[in-house]
Amino acid sequence: MNILIVEDEANLAESVKEILSSQKIYCDIVYDGADGLDYALSGIYDVILLDIMLPKLNGFEVLGKLRA
């Protein structure tokens, strides 16, 4: 399973990745909405953990663009 973590709080993102990685789940982390959108559009992720309050594009904007 591939998970994309879009979270601007580095410590929180790294903690979530560590927990998921211990379960043999592959994770990528990005720290702003613009990068999150770029990564998400690659289509390789099964799940996207998306924060709402992000720099550049907020989570609602990212979600709207993904749905469009």
Side-chain angles (χ1 to χ4, degrees):
M1 177 176 283
N2 292 324
I3 295 180
L4 175 61
I5 301 169
V6 187
E7 170 61 60
D8 59 331
E9 294 290 330
N11 291 336
L12 176 59
E14 291 295 333
S15 295
V16 171
K17 181 178 181 175
E18 185 177 317
I19 291 166
L20 293 171
S21 295
S22 73
Q23 299 299 312
K24 308 292 190 250
I25 297 172
Y26 177 78
C27 300
D28 284 329
I29 299 174
V30 294
Y31 300 101
D32 64 63
D35 287 342
L37 179 59
D38 288 341
Y39 275 63
L41 289 173
S42 71
I44 65 169
Y45 298 102
D46 301 303
V47 175
I48 300 171
L49 297 177
L50 182 61
D51 187 16
I52 293 173
M53 296 178 68
L54 295 165
K56 298 186 183 176
L57 293 173
N58 69 43
F60 292 120
E61 293 169 321
V62 172
L63 183 58
K65 290 178 186 286
L66 288 173
R67 287 183 171 180

